[in-house]
Every structure is written in structure tokens, then in C-alpha cells.
Amino acid sequence: MPLQYDLLFSENAMSFKKSAIRELLKLTAKPEIISFAGGLPHHDTFPIPHLKEIVADLLHREGKKILQYSTTEGDQSLKEELCKWLAKDGVSVKPDQMLIVSASQQALDLVARIFLNPEDTCIVGLPTYLGFLQSASAVRGKMVGIPLDDDGIRTDQVKDQITRLIKEGKKPKFIYVIPDFQNPAGVTLSLERRKHLLKIAEEFDIIIIEDSPYRKLRYSGEPIPTIFQLDQGRGYVVTLYTFSKIFLPGFRLGWIIGPKHVIEKMILAKQGMDLCTSLFTQAIAREYIKADRLDGRIEKNIELYSKKRKKMLEALEKYMPKIEGLKWTKPDGGLFLWVSLPPSMNSDRMFYEAIKENVAYVIGSAFHCDGEGQNTMRLNFSYPSEDEIETGIQRLAKVIEKEKEKTDKGLNNVVPQSP
Amino acid sequence: MPLQYDLLFSENAMSFKKSAIRELLKLTAKPEIISFAGGLPHHDTFPIPHLKEIVADLLHREGKKILQYSTTEGDQSLKEELCKWLAKDGVSVKPDQMLIVSASQQALDLVARIFLNPEDTCIVGLPTYLGFLQSASAVRGKMVGIPLDDDGIRTDQVKDQITRLIKEGKKPKFIYVIPDFQNPAGVTLSLERRKHLLKIAEEFDIIIIEDSPYRKLRYSGEPIPTIFQLDQGRGYVVTLYTFSKIFLPGFRLGWIIGPKHVIEKMILAKQGMDLCTSLFTQAIAREYIKADRLDGRIEKNIELYSKKRKKMLEALEKYMPKIEGLKWTKPDGGLFLWVSLPPSMNSDRMFYEAIKENVAYVIGSAFHCDGEGQNTMRLNFSYPSEDEIETGIQRLAKVIEKEKEKTDKGLNNVVPQSP
């Protein structure tokens, strides 16, 4: 009899689910499909000529060093450059409060591993980032969802939920938020609510995990201080950054800042996870920042993505059917916006219809820890071209219109067949 | 009152220990110290001119693609090249039985996470690789150590221990071995024992984790088939490979081969861990193999390291005092050899004396899951120059001689002071 691997797997491993999203995304790979499903930065933003120069020079000058192992905490000189760069955003932090990570999914994994036992709770948004749901589920943590509105997570409800959880003996370990241009909803947490979150953290002695991949990609409105900054070094906030959206994803580089005690624990965890992040890609990033090119690069990204955002908002306005309850967010930055259909409609089911019409999105339920959100969807505007946005939204509008008719006629009460 | 982080950390995180090794290694960083403590490949083996060519060409031809995200399972074309390369070593495997990882520490973490619950047992060598001890401890797995001799792990004892563990209701999940030029001991598992291990795995329905970072670095003797190869596709073996020792460590690249069901579980785990490994470094490695340069590179490594191994064995023969019970292994490959002192001596304590004499090693107890091995040490011969090896072994011989005298006089029964 062949080996029964399932008898050998850990309980955590047996709880891993085959990601529905992953399976759905496979359907969006056909070239005729206009996909709003991805979360990719556009490759036109990659500074290829500068990278060529930097790599040639680095291999020449430091090849023997940068092709070796790095320390677990990361390259000291990269950390110093990042501290200077963060200071321009009002964030005051020292290299020993920073850990270089293999991009922000590793940061999320670190958060889940150092804080969550099986059944431990944490607070997240409804919706929230899929990648965090995966990391937390992998250690069998329990997420408690709090709705968002246009000002971000409903902090009044955060407080109520924590009080309730404490009564049930399930005090949460942390609050996970993406304050700027949240993925997937595109909304930004107001200054008042950032301050409120900090008060809550202090009152209940818990940590805030501030995930900040998109912060520098602001197309309108004024920047709001990070929660880390508002905390003024009191140690209630850990902030996660990544190069994936402002520089490029292929290097797998990000960084975490936080209280030294937490960073040290994360360094110990990372030692057993991947020993160190590539020094080769760390050195390239360091030289790129040193040459003062990063801010210019971000400017160019903003220019490109803000046009696409505008295009998508215009197309939605122009093509979407006038249906009661159909609405979408108008993000001030980032890569995504969020569409809500009337509660009677089901975007999970509609996905297959959309694929037939050669347009794709991510089903909103994938971003919900409570299995809800079936009437929502995430649209990405950074990757498709402006023409694709125009055509794709036209197609999507048609799909929604048809689906609404079917729903109204009660034709959608049959279980959908996957194609 | 400031936040009490320890109240928030998970039980796993609270069990992380500050690595004693890491603290000791800090002491070895002074330039006047000849260090046999590292595990670094020598930077003279890094093919810098070829890398320059490959990177320039790749950025030109495929920059927009290779700077994007990769799939979690890894670049298909790299996997195909690796399958062809493994076939030359008699290993028959398809890309869907392979996962690209962020070097072999991530492979060890994956093994620990998908197989071990807290308190679950696994079988390891005495001594065994430190990095595995870290990954397994991070999920609070329990390691049961089996002694090695010159033919590798004592498979007769493996069988006895598994029988005992089953009786106690603690059946191990897997057997972790490094068959070729084991780290730290330098010994190679005989063909007969490889076959015996497979029989044991089959008898008890458990998996063998075959860690194979050094296999291609053989300086004498004939290659023995991998356990994966001997298994002939029956699914009892997962084998871990890395580019770190045969190409370079700075790219953080390795790969795992095994039964599809296990690889699929690992892919799900890796999704939540770091999403994907750098496509940029994967593409460089792929082009390097495609250009048929890897085997030539390995030949050059063998040339360099085999000279250093010879030098270290000669120096040990020449300088070591004639002490009953003092012995060392004579590895056929790899980067390390293993010195045993008489059981009365203590190499943990002697470490500080060695540092005073400007020579360093890794204390053997760091490689023992049972806290034993205080009379052993690991020496690395790949990184120091031949001259450094000569001088360093001379220094070490003197340290051992003096320590032996002190031990004999009973002067070592005082608790040592760290400098």
C-alpha cells in the first residue's frame, strides 16, 4: 500500500485550504481576457536601464561580498538608507528597530507565527488582505472581522468587539490594518480613527500591525501620518513595508519596523525560516536608493497609476447600469477599488459569466474571514492599459446588467456549474 | 506601563532560544582570528564575469518578466533545467514533483511546518545540522537523536528507537538525514544503510527527509546513489537541494523533490510564507545551467576545496598532540570535518581559550538535540586559505594541549567566565 501522507501531516498542514482564488485566477490567464483580478504593478515602471548599470557596477566592486550569505537582520547599509528615507515621511526609526524580510508575505507570516497560537484571535477588516488571511490560517489563528466604511475600519466596533472577546476569554493579540488605500477596499483610515486605534491598543495592551505597501502611491488628497508615527515610539505599532509596489516585486524585498523586543523575536523566527534575505537584491535596492532614484521612480508610478485610476472611475460612471445598491469606492491611491452589488446579487456565481465575456475580477468573499461578501468584488487598475480598462469595464457592466435581470427573475437560485 | 510583549507572543515564539552559536560567532569576527567556525563557500568560486553577462542579457531580453512576481511553485523553465541536471546524477523526477524554495533553510522550515505538531517526534543524527534543529524547535517538535559512526547514522538503532517510540505512542513523523558528507560530521551514509533506511521507512510508513547540499562536492571515493534514487519513485523520500554550496549563497535558491502530494502541500504552505521565490535570481540560475556552466563550476570548487581538505588533514596529523581519544573524521567531500576530544574534555569551555589564541570553531554541542557532544567540535575547511589552515590548526593544537593539561590537573572544574 502506498504511504498515506495525510496521516503524517501536521494539524496546521491539514487545515491549509486549496485557495479558491488560485483556482479562479487560472481561468483568467487566457489572452483574450481583460483581467482586473491581479495585483501586479505594471512592468513599465521597472527601471531596467538603471538596474543594468547598478548590477554591473556592484558585481564589479562588491561581487564577492554580495553573493555571500547576509545576516538574518539584513544589510546594515540598506537599513540605514531606509531609515533616512522613512525620515522624509516623518517616521523616526533606527536600524536596530528594523528587519529586512523576503517581501511582505514573509512579514505577515512572521506576525502570525510570533503572535498566534491555534485558536488565538486577532482583529481584521471586513474585507481585508487575502495574504494575511492565509498566513493567520496557516497557524490556525482566528480572525474577527470588523466592517469598513469610507474612513476605513469602524474603530467604535473594534472597541466593542475586543470588550466582548475579553469577556469570552479570547482577548485578541493584535489589530491588523492597512491604513492607506486598503487592499482590497481602496479606502483610507482617517486621522481620527488612527488615533482612536492607538487609544484602544493602549487601553487593552495589544499591538497594532500596520501594513503599508501602498502608502507612497497617493494620487489625491493629503498624506495622513502613519500609526507608527502617531505612536511616537511608545511601542504599540509594528509597520510592514515592501518594495514590491513602489520599486519591483521580483527582488522579494520588504522591511518591518517596530519595538526592538518584537524585532528581535522576529529575527530569531526568521533564522529558522530562511536564514537571511538575498544580499544580492538587498545591495541593488540599497544602491538604487543611495542614487536618490526611488522617489523619482515613485513619482512616475503615481503619474501612470493615477491616470489609470481616473480612467477606471470614468468608465464605471459611464458604463455601469443604474442599479439600486451598486456602488464602488473612489480610492486616493493604491492599486484597487471595490465594487458592491445589491445584496441580492452574487459575484462568486457571476465570476463564471464574466469569464465567458472575457473580463475577470477577484470575488470579494476571498477577502472576508467570515465567508461573507458574496456581493462584492475587487478591481485592479494598475496592470491593465487604459484601453483595456475602458473595454473591460464595458464588458463587466454588461455582465452585471444581465446578472441583475436573472437575479430579479429568480433564475439564479440554481447551483452554478463551474465551466 | 510599557506594553508587555511577552504576554502577546505565541507559545512557539516563547520557546525560541537566543542561539548560543550566534553569540559565539560574534566573538569570531575579529580580523586576527582564523575561523574554522563558518560554513561559507569561498568567494573565489563565485562566477562573477559570467553573472555580469547573464544579468545584462536577461534584463535586456526579459527584464519586464523576471522583475515581476513568480508562481509559488517556481519558474517552470528553471525546474525543467534542474530535472535534466538531476537526471545526470541518476535522479528521475518531473517538474510537478519539484518546488523552488528560498534556499534550503526554507526547505527545512517547510518540512517542520507540514509534518510536526508540538511534541511530535522525528529522528535525527547525533550530531545533526543546526539549521534543522532550529526549524523543528520553532514548531516545538521533539528530535530523537541516533549516533553516527564512519558509515553515517546507525540504522540498527534507528529501527530500535522507532519501535520504542511507537510503544510510547510517539511514532516519529520522519527520519532526517544528510547522507553525503554530513554537516557537521563529514561522514557519508553507506549504500547498505541507505537501503536499510528505506526498508525501515516502508516497514513503519514514515518519510525520509534527505538533505543534500554537498552531494556534488566529492573529493574522493565513488558516488553512492541518493536515497531518492534507491526509492525508485515509491514515495518514501523527500530530497532537499540548494545552490548555496555549489553556485552561490547570495541568491537564496534551492529546490525540493518528492511525492506530488507532499510537494502540493508544501506549495500551499509556501504561499502563506513568502508567496514566491525571486524570479530574478531564478532566471539567472536557469541561464547559468542552460549555458552548461554549472558542472564546470562544480569541478573548480572541487579542485579548490579538495586541496584545502588535504591541507587540513595534513595539519591535524602534523600538529595535534598525541592524546588518547583525540580523533577526527576524514570526509570524502563537503565543507566540514569533526573533531572529538577525550570525553573528559569540554570544547564549550575551551572555545573561549581558543578565541584568546585567535582561532575559532563551532562547539559540537550546538549540533546535538540532546545537549551532549561537549567534547566535540566542527571545523570548516572551505573558507580559510591553506596558510590560514596551517596556522589555525597549529594554534588549535596548542589550545587543546594546554586544555588537556588543565583538565588532567582538575583545574577545569570551575564554571567558565565568558570574556
Side-chain angles (χ1 to χ4, degrees):
Chain A
M1 200 176 76
L3 190 49
Q4 299 295 302
Y5 304 105
D6 285 355
L7 298 177
L8 298 176
F9 289 142
S10 67
E11 286 175 51
N12 284 357
M14 288 308 289
S15 79
F16 297 163
K17 271 172 244 121
K18 197 149 192 157
S19 159
I21 285 304
R22 214 176 138 80
E23 299 308 299
L24 293 184
L25 281 178
K26 282 184 191 161
L27 300 177
T28 71
K30 284 181 269 172
E32 60 273 27
I33 288 181
I34 293 177
S35 179
F36 302 131
L40 304 184
H42 198 277
H43 48 242
D44 283 352
T45 65
F46 303 159
I48 295 175
H50 290 149
L51 290 178
K52 266 194 209 170
E53 273 172 44
I54 290 175
V55 177
D57 179 55
L58 266 177
L59 283 174
H60 179 69
R61 281 193 297 117
E62 298 185 48
K64 291 181 176 185
K65 193 184 152 205
I66 64 173
L67 299 171
Q68 266 295 7
Y69 290 99
S70 168
T71 56
T72 306
E73 50 268 46
D75 181 53
Q76 180 67 14
S77 54
L78 171 60
K79 293 209 277 181
E80 285 164 10
E81 289 302 320
L82 287 171
C83 288
K84 282 190 250 170
W85 187 75
L86 289 173
K88 293 194 268 180
D89 193 29
V91 173
S92 165
V93 69
K94 296 210 178 86
D96 63 359
Q97 293 168 273
M98 181 184 283
L99 166 63
I100 304 292
V101 288
S102 307
S104 72
Q105 188 66 47
Q106 184 174 65
L108 298 174
D109 189 31
L110 276 164
V111 165
R113 289 184 79 165
I114 78 161
F115 290 116
L116 297 178
N117 296 310
E119 302 301 318
D120 272 358
T121 66
C122 61
I123 303 281
V124 301
L126 280 175
T128 194
Y129 176 50
L130 181 62
F132 177 72
L133 297 182
Q134 272 185 299
S135 292
S137 303
V139 295
R140 288 181 291 143
K142 295 290 167 210
M143 288 145 284
V144 178
I146 306 286
L148 311 179
D149 62 20
D150 285 343
D151 286 331
I153 197 164
R154 290 277 307 270
T155 49
D156 52 336
Q157 293 193 28
V158 170
K159 190 171 168 169
D160 294 347
Q161 279 286 5
I162 295 179
T163 310
R164 181 185 68 80
L165 287 165
I166 289 174
K167 271 195 200 137
E168 294 176 12
K170 297 178 190 165
K171 181 178 161 180
K173 291 295 188 75
F174 57 83
I175 304 166
Y176 171 75
V177 285
I178 307 150
D180 294 301
F181 331 123
Q182 201 240 21
N183 179 3
V187 298
T188 293
L189 193 65
S190 68
L191 177 62
E192 200 187 341
R193 289 203 186 160
R194 291 177 197 223
K195 288 179 179 167
H196 191 197
L197 268 191
L198 270 174
K199 258 182 80 176
I200 294 170
E202 219 174 332
E203 179 176 348
F204 294 106
D205 278 323
I206 62 179
I207 284 214
I208 297 169
I209 306 295
E210 178 180 42
D211 194 2
S212 193
Y214 318 106
R215 177 168 175 80
K216 299 305 284 182
L217 299 175
R218 178 178 276 277
Y219 320 132
S220 56
E222 285 304 310
I224 302 169
T226 61
I227 308 178
F228 187 94
Q229 194 180 341
L230 295 170
D231 182 49
Q232 295 183 305
R234 286 174 305 162
Y236 287 90
V237 187
V238 171
T239 305
L240 321 179
Y241 291 92
T242 176
F243 279 121
S244 296
K245 304 302 198 279
I246 55 172
F247 184 33
L248 46 87
F251 282 2
R252 312 310 296 134
L253 280 181
W255 66 100
I256 304 176
I257 58 172
K260 255 174 90 167
H261 197 66
V262 173
I263 295 294
E264 278 164 12
K265 194 57 96 179
M266 286 179 163
I267 292 171
L268 287 182
K270 183 173 160 70
Q271 259 198 294
M273 282 160 69
D274 68 356
L275 200 58
C276 62
T277 292
S278 166
L279 187 52
F280 179 58
T281 58
Q282 284 185 71
I284 303 171
R286 180 238 296 158
E287 291 304 309
Y288 192 74
I289 303 175
K290 253 185 159 168
D292 204 15
R293 294 197 184 279
L294 188 57
D295 289 326
R297 181 76 265 150
I298 291 170
E299 282 305 314
K300 291 230 169 73
N301 291 4
I302 290 174
E303 206 178 298
L304 180 72
Y305 295 151
S306 65
K307 276 191 215 151
K308 293 184 174 199
R309 176 197 59 156
K310 186 161 169 269
K311 188 73 191 181
M312 189 172 271
L313 288 172
E314 283 169 1
L316 285 164
E317 208 57 62
K318 188 165 156 194
Y319 298 113
M320 278 293 151
K322 303 291 168 255
I323 295 175
E324 170 96 26
L326 170 61
K327 59 184 181 179
W328 50 90
T329 58
K330 285 148 195 85
D332 279 325
L335 310 182
F336 307 106
L337 60 78
W338 187 247
V339 178
S340 301
L341 305 173
S344 61
M345 288 180 71
N346 186 313
S347 74
D348 292 13
R349 173 180 13 229
M350 194 177 74
F351 180 82
Y352 300 102
E353 300 302 321
I355 291 294
K356 282 186 212 158
E357 297 296 327
N358 290 328
V359 62
Y361 54 82
V362 183
I363 55 173
S365 57
F367 302 96
H368 283 71
C369 62
D370 61 355
E372 295 296 315
Q374 271 89 357
N375 64 321
T376 57
M377 58 178 99
R378 188 189 77 176
L379 303 185
N380 165 267
F381 53 80
S382 61
Y383 196 76
S385 69
E386 291 190 50
D387 282 353
E388 286 168 336
I389 290 174
E390 172 102 18
T391 313
I393 294 295
Q394 242 177 310
R395 290 180 190 168
L396 185 60
K398 224 169 67 185
V399 171
I400 292 177
E401 199 160 5
K402 268 170 68 179
E403 187 72 8
K404 177 71 166 72
E405 280 170 30
K406 275 204 282 182
T407 306
D408 290 348
K409 288 185 189 147
L411 294 175
N412 268 339
N413 300 329
V414 220
V415 177
Q417 297 292 315
S418 95
Chain B
M1 200 178 75
L3 189 49
Q4 301 294 302
Y5 304 106
D6 286 354
L7 299 177
L8 298 176
F9 288 141
S10 66
E11 287 176 49
N12 284 357
M14 287 309 288
S15 79
F16 297 161
K17 273 172 240 121
K18 196 149 191 160
S19 161
I21 285 303
R22 214 176 138 81
E23 298 309 299
L24 293 184
L25 282 178
K26 281 184 192 161
L27 301 176
T28 72
K30 285 181 268 174
E32 60 273 26
I33 288 181
I34 293 176
S35 178
F36 302 131
L40 304 185
H42 197 276
H43 47 241
D44 283 351
T45 66
F46 303 159
I48 296 175
H50 291 148
L51 291 178
K52 266 194 210 167
E53 273 171 43
I54 290 174
V55 177
D57 179 56
L58 266 177
L59 283 174
H60 178 70
R61 280 192 298 117
E62 298 185 45
K64 292 182 176 186
K65 193 186 152 200
I66 64 174
L67 299 170
Q68 266 296 4
Y69 290 100
S70 167
T71 56
T72 306
E73 49 268 46
D75 181 51
Q76 181 68 13
S77 54
L78 171 60
K79 293 209 277 181
E80 283 164 10
E81 289 303 321
L82 287 171
C83 288
K84 281 190 249 169
W85 187 75
L86 290 173
K88 292 195 269 181
D89 193 29
V91 173
S92 166
V93 69
K94 295 208 179 87
D96 63 359
Q97 293 168 272
M98 180 184 284
L99 166 62
I100 304 293
V101 288
S102 307
S104 73
Q105 188 66 46
Q106 182 173 66
L108 298 174
D109 189 31
L110 277 165
V111 166
R113 290 183 79 165
I114 77 159
F115 290 116
L116 298 177
N117 296 310
E119 303 301 319
D120 273 357
T121 65
C122 59
I123 303 281
V124 302
L126 281 175
T128 194
Y129 177 50
L130 182 62
F132 177 71
L133 296 181
Q134 272 185 296
S135 294
S137 304
V139 295
R140 288 183 290 143
K142 295 291 168 210
M143 286 146 286
V144 178
I146 306 286
L148 310 179
D149 61 20
D150 285 344
D151 286 330
I153 197 164
R154 291 275 307 269
T155 49
D156 52 336
Q157 293 193 28
V158 170
K159 189 171 168 169
D160 293 348
Q161 279 286 6
I162 296 178
T163 310
R164 182 185 67 79
L165 288 165
I166 289 175
K167 269 192 202 138
E168 294 175 12
K170 296 177 188 165
K171 182 180 162 179
K173 291 295 189 71
F174 57 82
I175 304 166
Y176 171 75
V177 284
I178 307 149
D180 294 300
F181 331 124
Q182 202 242 19
N183 180 1
V187 297
T188 294
L189 193 66
S190 67
L191 178 61
E192 200 187 342
R193 289 201 186 161
R194 290 177 197 222
K195 288 180 180 166
H196 192 196
L197 268 191
L198 270 174
K199 257 182 81 176
I200 295 170
E202 219 174 331
E203 180 176 346
F204 294 105
D205 278 322
I206 62 179
I207 284 214
I208 298 168
I209 307 295
E210 178 180 42
D211 194 2
S212 193
Y214 318 106
R215 176 169 176 79
K216 299 305 284 181
L217 298 175
R218 177 177 275 279
Y219 319 131
S220 54
E222 286 303 311
I224 301 170
T226 61
I227 310 179
F228 187 93
Q229 195 180 339
L230 295 170
D231 182 50
Q232 296 185 302
R234 284 173 308 161
Y236 286 91
V237 186
V238 170
T239 305
L240 321 179
Y241 292 92
T242 177
F243 280 120
S244 295
K245 304 304 196 277
I246 55 172
F247 183 33
L248 45 88
F251 282 2
R252 311 309 298 132
L253 280 182
W255 66 100
I256 305 176
I257 58 172
K260 254 174 90 167
H261 197 66
V262 173
I263 294 295
E264 278 165 11
K265 194 58 94 178
M266 287 180 163
I267 293 170
L268 286 182
K270 184 173 160 69
Q271 261 199 293
M273 283 160 68
D274 68 356
L275 201 58
C276 62
T277 293
S278 167
L279 187 53
F280 180 58
T281 58
Q282 285 186 69
I284 302 171
R286 180 238 295 157
E287 291 304 309
Y288 193 75
I289 304 175
K290 254 186 159 166
D292 205 14
R293 294 198 185 279
L294 187 57
D295 289 325
R297 182 77 263 149
I298 291 171
E299 280 306 313
K300 292 229 170 72
N301 290 5
I302 289 175
E303 208 179 297
L304 180 73
Y305 295 151
S306 65
K307 276 191 215 150
K308 294 184 175 200
R309 175 197 60 156
K310 186 161 169 268
K311 187 76 189 176
M312 187 171 273
L313 288 172
E314 283 169 2
L316 286 164
E317 207 59 61
K318 188 165 158 192
Y319 297 114
M320 278 293 150
K322 303 290 169 258
I323 295 175
E324 170 95 25
L326 171 60
K327 58 183 182 179
W328 49 90
T329 57
K330 285 147 194 90
D332 280 325
L335 309 182
F336 307 106
L337 59 80
W338 185 248
V339 178
S340 301
L341 304 173
S344 61
M345 290 181 68
N346 186 313
S347 74
D348 292 13
R349 171 178 17 225
M350 195 177 74
F351 179 83
Y352 299 102
E353 300 303 320
I355 290 293
K356 283 187 210 157
E357 297 296 329
N358 290 329
V359 61
Y361 54 82
V362 182
I363 55 172
S365 56
F367 301 96
H368 283 72
C369 62
D370 60 356
E372 296 296 315
Q374 272 90 354
N375 64 321
T376 57
M377 57 178 97
R378 189 190 76 176
L379 303 185
N380 165 267
F381 54 79
S382 62
Y383 195 76
S385 70
E386 290 189 49
D387 282 353
E388 285 168 337
I389 290 174
E390 173 103 17
T391 312
I393 293 296
Q394 243 178 309
R395 290 180 189 167
L396 185 61
K398 224 169 67 185
V399 171
I400 291 176
E401 200 160 4
K402 269 171 67 179
E403 185 73 7
K404 177 69 167 68
E405 280 170 28
K406 276 204 282 181
T407 305
D408 289 348
K409 288 185 190 148
L411 295 174
N412 268 339
N413 300 328
V414 219
V415 177
Q417 298 291 317
S418 95

